[in-house]
Amino acid sequence: MKKIFIILCLLAMALMFTGCSGVIRMHSYKNSEKYSVGNKEYSGEIKKLNIDWYVGKVKIVISDKISISENSNNLKDKQKVHSYFEDGVLDVKFWESGYSAKINDTDKHVTIEIPNGVDISINSISALITTDDIENNNIDIKTVSGNIDISSLVSKNVNIYSVSGSITIDKVVCDELEIESVSGKVETFDTTTKNIKVHTVSGKIYVSLRDFLDADFDSVSAKINVKLLDELGMMIKFKSTSGELIVDNENISFKIVDKKYKIGDGSRNLDVKTTSGNLYLR
């Protein structure tokens, strides 16, 4: 779990910028004097979207335009979404640089419209993150406790890190998929990828595989559920202190080869590690 420390750093950041009083303290960001305030529409070619958010909701919508809209009727200008677009990069900030205040979750819902083909990077504390069906080159999401709900995703590289927020992807087609969580549940319902890594501490893992080459699932105490959507040949290496491999599909049969479980032609690799969690193959 080489990136779990990133998640713990996010947790520390959450405590630093929200505090026990519930006050959100926005970090100072560069070029703050150039940022636009409130709802905004931009023109030009966009290559990358960067979002820094704290609470509320972030919704990504695929469109032929570049726009930012927020339910900001009751907000001061300092509390409204701030954005800056230059050289194909759109930066979206929760509110004014260095500003501190309390805010209700329902007052900070932002919808961002972008065309397909844009790299997306989101750093969030507890905001719900949702997306339309999207096609892009790379997506990177880091959150502490906010849930992530992705409808359909076609991408090159997908990286998602969370502390306690649940992660749900209805359908994903990508080259590289990496998900890490401490206690948040991870679900991918239709997955086609070359390489997939899912690591948790206690968060349950449920992955439905359409096709893959190499899969690496790792958890300390959580159950790991792997559902095969097609007939896939693979070699399974399962290592656990007290967990068991349980096959819950009468159509799946295997034989032991070099301490691995071979299914079909054994052309794919599935590596699973747990301390006490079981592996369910369905």
Side-chain angles (χ1 to χ4, degrees), residues 113-128:
E113 297 184 49
I114 55 171
N116 271 320
V118 176
D119 287 350
I120 299 174
S121 176
I122 303 175
N123 292 311
S124 172
I125 300 302
S126 61
L128 169 65

Side-chain angles (χ1 to χ4, degrees), residues 52 138 164 169 190 204 255 273:
D52 286 324
N138 302 289
S164 59
I169 306 177
D190 191 334
K204 293 182 180 179
K255 58 183 178 180
K273 303 182 190 69

Side-chain angles (χ1 to χ4, degrees), residues 25-226:
R25 298 178 177 89
M26 184 69 196
H27 64 276
S28 297
Y29 46 84
K30 295 180 180 180
N31 299 315
S32 59
E33 72 282 357
K34 297 181 180 180
Y35 276 69
S36 298
V37 178
N39 297 348
K40 181 72 174 177
E41 188 166 330
Y42 293 99
S43 61
E45 181 183 1
I46 180 172
K47 299 176 182 178
K48 186 173 184 181
L49 169 64
N50 298 317
I51 304 172
D52 286 324
W53 213 254
Y54 287 84
V55 300
K57 182 177 179 181
V58 175
K59 183 177 182 180
I60 307 295
V61 175
I62 297 304
S63 171
D64 58 359
K65 61 182 180 179
I66 306 168
S67 74
I68 301 165
S69 59
E70 183 183 47
N71 55 332
S72 56
N73 293 335
N74 299 320
L75 299 179
K76 302 175 183 178
D77 280 353
K78 290 183 177 182
Q79 296 174 323
K80 294 180 180 179
V81 60
H82 282 52
S83 61
Y84 177 47
F85 184 50
E86 186 177 52
D87 296 332
V89 179
L90 175 60
D91 289 304
V92 179
K93 304 294 186 182
F94 188 74
W95 58 29
E96 185 179 88
S97 175
Y99 181 69
S100 299
K102 290 184 178 181
I103 195 75
N104 292 323
D105 287 6
T106 54
D107 291 330
K108 292 296 291 184
H109 288 190
V110 67
T111 299
I112 302 171
E113 297 184 49
I114 55 171
N116 271 320
V118 176
D119 287 350
I120 299 174
S121 176
I122 303 175
N123 292 311
S124 172
I125 300 302
S126 61
L128 169 65
I129 299 170
T130 67
T131 74
D132 270 354
D133 296 352
I134 57 178
E135 296 181 15
N136 64 354
N137 291 326
N138 302 289
I139 185 165
D140 185 279
I141 301 175
K142 300 180 181 69
T143 183
V144 176
S145 58
N147 294 338
I148 300 168
D149 190 354
I150 298 174
S151 177
S152 176
L153 175 62
V154 178
S155 180
K156 289 183 179 178
N157 299 306
V158 180
N159 297 282
I160 302 176
Y161 311 116
S162 173
V163 175
S164 59
S166 66
I167 299 166
T168 303
I169 306 177
D170 290 340
K171 184 176 182 179
V172 57
V173 179
C174 65
D175 291 338
E176 305 281 340
L177 174 60
E178 183 166 342
I179 301 174
E180 294 200 16
S181 174
V182 176
S183 59
K185 179 174 62 176
V186 177
E187 296 178 300
T188 69
F189 293 110
D190 191 334
T191 307
T192 302
T193 183
K194 292 179 181 178
N195 300 301
I196 176 174
K197 294 181 180 180
V198 181
H199 296 174
T200 75
V201 176
S202 59
K204 293 182 180 179
I205 298 173
Y206 185 99
V207 176
S208 294
L209 294 171
R210 177 74 59 187
D211 201 1
F212 70 101
L213 293 179
D214 291 287
D216 180 358
F217 302 141
D218 189 337
S219 183
V220 175
S221 59
K223 296 177 181 178
I224 298 178
N225 294 273
V226 178

